[in-house]
Amino acid sequence: MLRSRLALRPKGPIMVDRFARHPLQGKTMTDKTELNASHRELGARMVDFGGWDMPIAYGSQIEEHHAVRKDAGMFDVSHMTVVDLTGEKTRDFLRKLVANNVDKLAKPGKALYTCMLNEEGGVIDDLIVYFLREDFFRLVVNAATRAKDLAWIEKQAAAFGVSVRERPEFGMIAVQGPNARAKLIGLLPSDVQEKATKLGKFAAIEIEGPNGMPLFLARTGYTGEDGFEVVVPNSRVVELWNLLKDAGVAPAGLGARDTLRLEAGMNLYGQDMDETVSPWEAALAWTISLDDGRDFIGRTALEKHKADGVKRVMVGLVMDDKGVLRHGQKVLTANGDGEILSGGFAPTLGKSIAFARIPAGEPGDVRVDIRGREVPVRVVTFPFVRDGQPKAGI
Amino acid sequence: MSDIPGDLKFAKSHEWVRVEQDGTVTVGISDHAQAQLGDLVYVELPEVGSSVQAGNGTAVVESVKAASDIYSPLSGEVIAVNEELADAPETINSDAYGDGWIFKLKISDKSELDNLLTPDEYSELVENEDH
C-alpha cells in the first residue's frame, strides 16, 4: 500500500529513504549505540539511520514531540561523531578548515556552528566546534558523513601538525525542553549544580556528573528548545539515561527530533544541503564569515558565486490546506520550479511546513504539486517555532 | 499486536474488509499497518459514487513519516467515506478495525473475496515480514 515503498517493510521507514542518496552509506553492518538494548526494552521502532540501528519512536512520535516542546525529552545521539583536535596550531587549522570564524570563540567552552566546505564551496558537512584550550578543540559532526569528514579533516590537518582523534568511546544524550536543564541539573552533585546552572547558551563545561561519571555538558541542541547535549563515556551512558528517565525525562526518537528541528528552522545535512549546494542556497549565509584576509577552504568559490548572483534560495513554506509537504515534491513559482527539501507535519502548528529551494526573486503565488494537485502555500521566514511557541505570522 | 476480529479479511497490502449484513463492504487498514506508519495526520478520501478496481489506489493516508496508498481490495462503487477522518485521522491509530474505517463499497464481483487472506493467514504474513 505504500507509495513511498518503505513504511511497511520491517527495516524500511523514512529515515532510510532520506539518507539513501548519501554517498557514504555503503556499510553492510549496522552499528549499535550502547543504548540499543534500552531502546528495544522500551518498545522502540528501530530503523537504519546512516548505518546505525536507531529508534524512530517509542510510541506516538507526536507525543514525543510535544514532550520536548512542553516539558523535557531525551534523544540518544551517540551515533554522532566526536572528533578531538590537538596541537599548537589547532586554531590556525580551524581558520582554514571551516567557513565560520573560530576567532569568535574567545572564552574556553564556547561553541560555534559552522559549515565545512570543499574547494568548490559545496558543503561537506555542518558541525559544531567547541573551544576547550588553545591546543584543544572538539568537533561534533554528523554520523552519516563520519568517514568522509574524518578523511577530509585528516588530509587538511597534516600541514598544521594537528592531531585528529575520533572518540568512539563516548556516547551522547541530548536532553531538550523547557524543563530539561532543571531535570538534568537536579541529578548533579550539589557542588557543581550552580556551575551547570550558570552555563551560558552555546557553551560547554566538563564536570562531574551523578555517581562520579565525567560529563561534557554543552548547552546546545537541535530542537529549538533550551537544554543540554551531554557527552558521556559509553560505560556510563545507560546509567545516565536511566537516571534521566527516572527524573521524568521522556525518551524521544529520531522521528520527533526531525519534526522538532524542522519547526526550529534547522537544516539537515543530506536533505537541505550537500556538496552540490552552496551555503548561499541553503539559508546558511549567517554562518559564513567573510572576514578580512582569512583564507578558508571554499572562500574563493563562495565569493565568486555571490558576485555572479545566487540563482536559488532556500525558503520556508507553510501549507494551510490539509495534506503533508514531502521531500522531493515540485514547487511552482513565478520564476520557475523548485523543490521541497525537508518537509513534514509540524505537530506544534497542526499543519505542514517545509524548506524549499526555489529560483531567486519575487516568487508570486507559490503552489506545491501533491499527487497532481496544485496546493497553495505561503512563503515565510523561519524558524517556524521558537521556545515552544509558533512565530508570529506562521 | 492486538487481536484481529474474526469476521475480517485482508489484502497483502495491509487493507482489511468486512462484509456487512446488507452485503456492502467496509474497508480500512490493519492495526499492524497503522503501527508501522505511526501517527496519522491526513487522509485523502475517494469520492462517493466513484467506481474502483481491486488493487487500484483509492485513498491516501499520510503519517508523520510517509504518504501511503490505500488499494481497494475489491472492485465496486464507493457508497460512503468516513468523513470523521478529515478532522481526526488519528482515529485510525486508536481504532483501526472500528471507528477508523475508511470507505464502504457496493462490490461488483463477490468472487474477488476469495483472493483475500483470513485473519490467521494475515497474521502469518505479518510475522514473516517482521524478521
Side-chain angles (χ1 to χ4, degrees), chain A residues 1-10 13-14 18 45 47 56 59-63 259 322-326 329 344-345 347 370-371 373, chain B residues 13-15 29 32-42 44 60-71 85-87 129-131:
Chain A
M1 65 189 254
L2 295 157
R3 182 185 299 274
S4 52
R5 302 192 310 282
L6 40 82
L8 291 190
R9 289 190 197 161
I14 197 151
R18 286 186 177 174
R45 204 159 56 244
V47 295
I56 190 164
S60 163
Q61 179 179 325
I62 290 178
E63 281 172 25
T259 52
K322 291 193 174 185
V324 185
L325 301 169
R326 302 277 184 198
Q329 287 170 345
F345 180 76
I370 302 179
R371 297 184 284 277
R373 197 162 51 99
Chain B
S13 48
H14 304 283
E15 296 84 2
I29 64 169
H32 171 73
Q34 69 77 18
Q36 291 296 308
L37 289 168
D39 297 309
L40 291 177
V41 294
Y42 175 61
E44 193 174 288
V60 177
V61 294
E62 297 221 28
S63 72
V64 281
K65 283 160 52 185
S68 307
D69 284 322
I70 307 299
Y71 299 119
L85 297 177
D87 291 323
E129 196 182 57
D130 274 345
H131 48 73

Side-chain angles (χ1 to χ4, degrees), chain A residues 46-64:
Chain A
M46 306 296 286
V47 295
D48 184 330
F49 183 90
W52 291 79
D53 185 47
M54 299 299 287
I56 190 164
Y58 300 87
S60 163
Q61 179 179 325
I62 290 178
E63 281 172 25
E64 291 167 16

